[in-house]
Amino acid sequence: MATVEVSEAEKVYVLHGIRDDLRVDGRGCEDYRHMEIETDVVSNTDGSAKVTLGHTVVLVGIKTEIGPSPVVPNEGYLEFFVDCSANATPEFEGRGGEELGVDISNSLYRVFNNKHSVDANKLCISPGEHCWVLYVDVLLLQCDGNLYDAISIAIKAALFNTKIPKVFISSDDEGGKEIELSDDPYDCMRINVENVPCIVTLCKVGHRHIVDATLQEKACSVASLIMSVTHKGMVTCTRKVGGGSLDPESIFEMTEAGKRVGKALHAPLMKLLEQEESLGKKRQKVGFFG
């Protein structure tokens, strides 16, 4: 993970501000930075989105392909690949970026590849034979903290933007099955992203916790709690990161704050995505939180 060097004087300044619910950039402890979302930005994908959160920039592209059914015969599935561009920070060069990419990919599998997120049954084409596989490619272009939140929002926006061709199955003369895809770009299936969770990362700084931490604030944090939260405030996955410890009372407070913030995050996000869809405009940039 990208880091910055912070002096003791800067740490004291950050800690005292957070203690008084006034961060360096003027936000409160549970406020996000200004966020911009742009969909349909990559022409050779079936769905894409770009999210700018402060100075963190994430690009997500989704390609759909027909593959063999997995262990569960009536479902499709998602595959994740995360590329940490060395242009984002020198720390992503070589093994550093590769290890972080694998770590983020493993977390994304737990968050999105389950029955509480995407309806995998809708991705089934022929039970036990063929299904849709969604290849989700994540590219980190710039890093200024809070990668998980930005990535999850970009994935939800890209899934909303994804168009899966309609499939027609017919039998051939030998009793086999033939699969044909519709040539009409408007004859497609859309993914219901209502239940797709967003990730909320809470960092423990001093005796309080904050959301959407910058790299400077992250350097002052002892530990973080990463949560995936649905639009109803249900927590589907949690993960603790960082070398410090979290006492039970802090975990409870951070969990309640994460559910509150996550639930509030979905409404404006879905409103903006639906507004863009109704306008029928490509590459429309929309912003909220700030």
Side-chain angles (χ1 to χ4, degrees), residues 33-36 51-57 142 144 212 214:
R33 289 168 288 180
H34 177 73
M35 187 186 306
E36 291 183 347
V51 168
T52 303
L53 178 60
H55 295 295
T56 294
V57 182
Q142 286 182 237
D144 186 29
D212 189 20
T214 62

Side-chain angles (χ1 to χ4, degrees), residues 8 44 52 57 61-62 131 135 143 145 195 203 209 238 244 247 259:
E8 289 301 318
N44 61 342
T52 303
V57 182
I62 299 178
C131 68
Y135 292 95
C143 180
N195 293 322
C203 297
H209 53 265
T238 59
D247 60 88
K259 291 192 291 185

Side-chain angles (χ1 to χ4, degrees), residues 196-230:
V196 174
C198 288
I199 294 176
V200 178
T201 304
L202 298 104
C203 297
K204 183 71 180 296
V205 182
H207 297 290
R208 301 197 64 169
H209 53 265
I210 59 174
V211 301
D212 189 20
T214 62
L215 288 179
Q216 184 186 37
E217 292 171 333
K218 182 72 174 176
C220 303
S221 172
V222 294
S224 301
L225 192 65
I226 299 173
M227 306 168 49
S228 59
V229 185
T230 68

Side-chain angles (χ1 to χ4, degrees), residues 61-63 77-81 109 113 133-137:
I62 299 178
K63 291 286 289 184
Y77 58 97
L78 286 72
E79 291 279 357
F80 294 94
F81 176 76
Y109 277 109
N113 223 352
V133 183
L134 273 56
Y135 292 95
V136 183
D137 292 320

Side-chain angles (χ1 to χ4, degrees), residues 39-145:
T39 60
D40 205 10
V41 292
V42 184
S43 59
N44 61 342
T45 62
D46 297 302
S48 59
K50 179 182 178 183
V51 168
T52 303
L53 178 60
H55 295 295
T56 294
V57 182
V58 177
L59 180 65
V60 172
I62 299 178
K63 291 286 289 184
T64 60
E65 292 185 9
I66 296 177
S69 289
V71 178
V72 182
N74 297 319
E75 296 182 356
Y77 58 97
L78 286 72
E79 291 279 357
F80 294 94
F81 176 76
V82 180
D83 181 16
C84 303
S85 172
N87 295 325
T89 171
E91 296 178 46
F92 288 170
E93 293 181 0
R95 297 285 297 177
E98 182 180 337
E99 291 174 358
L100 176 61
V102 172
D103 183 61
I104 295 176
S105 296
N106 291 336
S107 296
L108 295 179
Y109 277 109
R110 291 193 290 269
V111 172
F112 295 101
N113 223 352
N114 59 68
K115 63 182 180 180
H116 297 295
S117 181
V118 177
D119 186 357
N121 292 319
K122 296 290 185 180
L123 301 178
C124 177
I125 298 174
S126 178
E129 296 179 348
H130 300 93
C131 68
W132 284 110
V133 183
L134 273 56
Y135 292 95
V136 183
D137 292 320
V138 180
L139 176 60
L140 306 182
L141 297 174
Q142 286 182 237
C143 180
D144 186 29

